[in-house]
Amino acid sequence: MENLMEKIVSLCKRRGFVYPNSEIYGGIAGFYDMGPMGHLLRQNMKKLFWEFMLVDHENIFPIDGTIITHPKVWEASGHVGSFADAMVESTGGPMGNKRYRADHLIEEMYSGEELKAADETAKKEGISTLEVYSKLLKGKKAPDGGVLGEVKKFSLMVETSLGVVEGEKKSAYLKGEACQTIYLDYQNVLDSMHPKIPFGIAQIGKAFRNEVANPQFMLRLKEFEQWDMQFFVNPKTMDTWYEYWKEQRMNWYRSLFNDKDSLRFRQHRDDELAHYAKKAFDIEYKTPMGWKEGEGIHWRGDWDLSRHGQYSGHDFTYTDLETGEKFIPWIVETSGGVDRAFLFLLLDAYREEEGRIYLKLHPKLSPYTVAVFPLVRNKQDIIAKAQAVYKHLKLESRLSVVWDDRGNIGKRYWAQDEIGTPYCITIDYTTLTDDSVTVRDRDTTKQERVSIDRLVDFIREKLKD
Ligand code: ATP
């Protein structure tokens, strides 16, 4: 299955889903662009995210925050001091020096019990996590065959500078996690929209990290996108809301994937938990490289609002007007990666069967919902009729409809299968006599005849499933 990943990478480039950024200059590690098909798939994913947040749930408010914020935000959040990965380099491997995340290697090499024991010894001896990591890894063989060296701290924040006069520029950071603007706008949402607790603020936004580990296509990018929701609650109700959002997010992912068993929860061990978190669960997807995190369901308590209160001087105390209770709201966070979900959906959808490749994407996610073909290219009456059907469908359904008259019909089906178009409509000789077309189903390859005046309803009906 390892080569499934290679197949996806190749399909992404060949069929316009994902392009390596700055490719004509040799590319830049950890940055990818969306091609036309990738853009459409991603738009559909985001549309479903917003539908989930705003239509399926009450009391969630959408925002769009900036990429650069006041530099103090990242001191308050703890990122400037501690947003760092432990990195270890191997030397002497066949491909030269290679960097690894120390925590990832340790998890592969040691059992949970061994790690617990190492943690306890470290506490007794009063040595730092980095020193523990070094003890566990130094001199050991790396996966590339090289030898591991000292473990070092590596800051993940991407720095930039603001200002035009050299020497007077101020340094700032690109968002290390998208959600910070949600805390910054919390009070504004409260004052302008007047929601009552519990309520949520959701956002899809960019994040930037100087990742240590070697890039693995879209799993670990330096510029990526997160879909987040922070739900502000009365501390007394935290447990209930935490469980609620954990289940809701998993159900949402499951509704989009074919193989429901390829998704699971992974509970964080005590030594992984942030100090303010009572518990944390990741929603993971089973990739050919093992289980990988797609979204975290985090217990943030009052950490974020209290820290921003402390650093800004703003008082975030909330008064419940019905009970008179005063508290700093606690937060349940759902924080997922759009790029990882994008990759997981493609891995889940990829099929090779009976000489054809097709993407079994959820019809609501496919870049194109419908493709329209004239059976032949040299009959004006068929082409004119097919153009009329194409325009009618596009305008009446407002769905993503594409015209395709390249090559023969077989090749067109093949091309649409590879980008996951669920329905292909062909206008043939019979259409000219009875105003019906064939609709071919991507997954079964079965065709049925549908009259043109029922076509829009027919497709809409299919999309309801
Ligand atoms: P990891 O341990 O895999 O680095 P994380 O725990 O640091 O991830 P969070 O900070 O919780 O991740 O971010 C929430 C989500 O953002 C992750 O579940 C993941 O889907 C996504 N994400 C984080 N880092 C990256 C990255 N470098 N590239 C792509 N997506 C990412």
Side-chain angles (χ1 to χ4, degrees):
M1 285 301 269
E2 191 71 50
N3 74 2
L4 172 61
M5 193 63 187
E6 284 161 26
K7 286 178 179 170
I8 295 292
V9 173
S10 138
L11 182 132
C12 278
K13 171 108 192 287
R14 187 160 39 85
R15 299 312 317 273
F17 282 89
V18 182
Y19 306 134
N21 179 277
S22 314
E23 204 182 6
I24 56 167
Y25 291 100
I28 168 169
F31 294 86
Y32 285 95
D33 290 342
M34 287 290 122
M37 294 302 96
H39 170 88
L40 292 175
L41 167 57
R42 207 177 172 95
Q43 285 298 104
N44 290 338
M45 290 165 60
K46 292 183 189 177
K47 192 165 166 247
L48 292 182
F49 172 84
W50 284 122
E51 248 178 62
F52 168 86
M53 286 296 169
L54 307 181
V55 181
D56 297 338
H57 294 90
E58 302 287 318
N59 249 0
I60 310 273
F61 297 87
I63 64 157
D64 274 318
T66 57
I67 284 169
I68 296 177
T69 60
H70 196 292
K72 269 208 145 175
V73 170
W74 304 100
E75 286 173 40
S77 70
H79 283 77
V80 170
S82 64
F83 196 47
D85 272 342
M87 180 203 87
V88 61
E89 206 161 35
S90 77
T91 46
M95 307 289 281
N97 294 5
K98 208 168 165 189
R99 278 183 194 153
Y100 295 94
R101 280 259 301 261
D103 53 334
H104 289 173
L105 284 188
I106 285 169
E107 273 177 21
E108 282 167 22
M109 290 182 189
Y110 294 92
S111 70
E113 289 300 303
E114 287 170 316
L115 291 180
K116 221 171 166 187
D119 202 36
E120 273 159 24
T121 320
K123 271 186 200 144
K124 261 191 230 146
E125 294 176 3
I127 60 174
S128 71
T129 312
L130 277 191
E131 285 167 310
V132 178
Y133 284 2
S134 273
K135 266 185 155 184
L136 293 172
L137 292 178
K138 203 170 165 193
K140 285 242 155 38
K141 206 168 173 190
D144 70 331
V147 178
L148 296 171
E150 204 78 46
V151 176
K152 295 178 191 144
K153 211 169 160 183
F154 193 95
S155 169
L156 295 180
M157 293 301 288
V158 177
E159 232 177 310
T160 185
S161 58
L162 295 174
V164 286
V165 182
E166 278 307 327
E168 287 177 24
K169 290 190 179 176
K170 285 205 173 85
S171 65
Y173 298 99
L174 306 187
K175 271 192 205 178
E177 56 182 15
C179 64
Q180 285 297 326
T181 37
I182 296 186
Y183 313 131
L184 302 179
D185 285 334
Y186 160 81
Q187 193 66 51
N188 283 326
V189 170
L190 199 61
D191 294 345
S192 56
M193 308 307 296
H194 312 290
K196 285 200 184 84
I197 274 179
F199 73 93
I201 302 180
Q203 177 185 238
I204 301 181
K206 289 265 189 185
F208 300 81
R209 294 183 189 173
N210 268 320
E211 291 283 2
V212 178
N214 301 304
Q216 292 172 295
F217 192 42
M218 300 183 72
L219 270 182
R220 197 161 294 289
L221 301 169
K222 291 184 180 152
E223 174 175 341
F224 56 99
E225 212 168 17
Q226 293 178 312
W227 40 28
D228 295 336
M229 196 274 301
Q230 312 284 320
F231 202 68
F232 300 87
V233 306
N234 182 324
K236 284 184 194 156
T237 61
M238 183 72 180
D239 253 312
T240 314
W241 283 113
Y242 183 87
E243 290 308 318
Y244 175 80
W245 284 110
K246 186 179 145 220
E247 293 311 315
Q248 286 291 307
R249 292 304 290 152
M250 177 59 106
N251 291 345
W252 185 69
Y253 280 107
R254 290 217 161 116
S255 73
L256 301 178
F257 283 73
N258 297 300
D259 180 4
K260 317 287 177 207
D261 294 333
S262 64
L263 291 158
R264 72 169 189 193
F265 281 120
R266 186 185 74 84
Q267 181 160 21
H268 284 210
R269 297 183 310 271
D270 285 353
D271 63 303
E272 286 177 90
L273 280 180
H275 62 89
Y276 47 80
K278 184 171 140 189
K279 52 189 165 183
F281 283 83
D282 288 338
I283 295 177
E284 293 189 329
Y285 175 77
K286 194 176 187 178
T287 72
M289 297 84 64
W291 290 93
K292 301 284 176 193
E293 172 184 339
E295 174 155 326
I297 315 296
H298 299 138
W299 176 296
R300 299 193 71 118
D302 68 350
W303 165 255
D304 305 281
L305 291 185
S306 295
R307 284 282 286 199
H308 283 302
Q310 210 178 315
Y311 277 71
S312 65
H314 184 86
D315 182 5
F316 281 104
T317 308
Y318 175 88
T319 307
D320 185 316
L321 293 177
E322 275 161 36
T323 63
E325 270 178 290
K326 285 183 188 297
F327 54 84
I328 306 267
W330 282 27
I331 294 173
V332 180
E333 171 185 68
T334 69
S335 178
V338 181
D339 307 84
R340 286 197 193 168
F342 181 98
L343 174 63
F344 298 165
L345 284 166
L346 289 176
L347 288 167
D348 173 70
Y350 189 88
R351 299 280 185 285
E352 264 176 37
E353 268 170 35
E354 290 161 14
R356 71 178 181 126
I357 294 172
Y358 69 104
L359 290 184
K360 195 175 174 185
L361 286 168
H362 190 296
K364 287 189 180 166
L365 287 173
S366 295
Y368 297 131
T369 315
V370 184
V372 177
F373 312 150
L375 179 69
V376 287
R377 289 199 294 170
N378 55 358
K379 288 265 177 280
Q380 271 320 308
D381 42 1
I382 288 199
I383 291 173
K385 189 76 185 172
Q387 271 288 327
V389 171
Y390 165 65
K391 289 199 176 121
H392 162 77
L393 253 184
K394 225 169 127 108
L395 296 176
E396 292 300 314
S397 72
R398 313 302 294 174
L399 292 168
S400 178
V401 184
V402 65
W403 170 262
D404 192 354
D405 62 4
R406 291 174 314 152
N408 62 35
I409 283 282
K411 281 205 183 120
R412 291 182 219 158
Y413 282 148
W414 188 84
Q416 294 298 329
D417 280 349
E418 263 203 336
I419 54 172
T421 308
Y423 309 108
C424 290
I425 292 177
T426 302
I427 285 75
D428 55 17
Y429 292 100
T430 314
T431 315
L432 299 178
T433 57
D434 71 357
D435 258 0
S436 73
V437 295
T438 63
V439 180
R440 185 249 197 193
D441 182 288
R442 174 195 67 199
D443 302 340
T444 61
T445 72
K446 295 239 154 52
Q447 296 179 26
E448 58 184 301
R449 283 210 89 84
V450 179
S451 75
I452 292 172
D453 56 4
R454 274 206 321 118
L455 211 45
V456 173
D457 286 344
F458 179 87
I459 301 289
R460 284 216 183 105
E461 201 53 39
K462 292 266 184 196
L463 291 178
K464 274 192 188 155
D465 298 342

